Amino acid sequence: MSTKMTSSRPYFIRAVYEWILDNNCTPHVVVNAHLEGVRVPQQHVNSDGQIVLNIAPGAITDFFMDNDEIAFSARFGGVAQTIQVPCYAVLGIYARENG
């Protein structure tokens, strides 16, 4: 009998996020902005349907990350917006300093 396991994606996202911060770098996530449940400012989505979000603690407020989503508040053009990104919409996470 096999056991159905949960997705490892949110665990990897959290681990890389913490590793980037521990190395004094700036974490960014690449998001597929056209998937259901994604709430991002559409005017900042590129022609490939992606948006890159800075998720460094100094750039955002009300940060929340669990096995289902990443959520926070950020300013775009001076306007505060609530961002919601389901973990399945995260295409990648990287440090701005070294890509």
Side-chain angles (χ1 to χ4, degrees), residues 25-39:
C25 291
T26 310
H28 283 68
V29 287
V30 181
V31 176
N32 180 339
H34 294 309
L35 292 179
E36 187 172 333
V38 175
R39 188 171 161 196

Side-chain angles (χ1 to χ4, degrees), residues 10-65:
Y11 297 92
F12 283 113
I13 294 168
R14 280 197 303 274
V16 173
Y17 174 77
E18 290 180 19
W19 174 73
I20 290 168
L21 291 180
D22 285 351
N23 283 278
N24 297 311
C25 291
T26 310
H28 283 68
V29 287
V30 181
V31 176
N32 180 339
H34 294 309
L35 292 179
E36 187 172 333
V38 175
R39 188 171 161 196
V40 296
Q42 293 297 311
Q43 66 271 29
H44 295 283
V45 174
N46 69 21
S47 61
D48 293 329
Q50 299 175 359
I51 187 169
V52 176
L53 301 168
N54 177 349
I55 58 171
I60 59 176
T61 59
D62 302 322
F63 183 73
F64 172 80
M65 181 170 23

Side-chain angles (χ1 to χ4, degrees), residues 3 5 14 17 21 30 56 62 69 72 77 80 83-84 86 88-89 93 98:
T3 302
M5 297 180 72
R14 280 197 303 274
Y17 174 77
L21 291 180
V30 181
D62 302 322
E69 73 174 359
F72 55 91
I83 306 300
Q84 289 179 288
Y88 59 78
I93 180 168
N98 62 17

Side-chain angles (χ1 to χ4, degrees), residues 68-80:
D68 297 317
E69 73 174 359
I70 300 169
F72 55 91
S73 294
R75 293 193 169 277
F76 292 84
V79 178

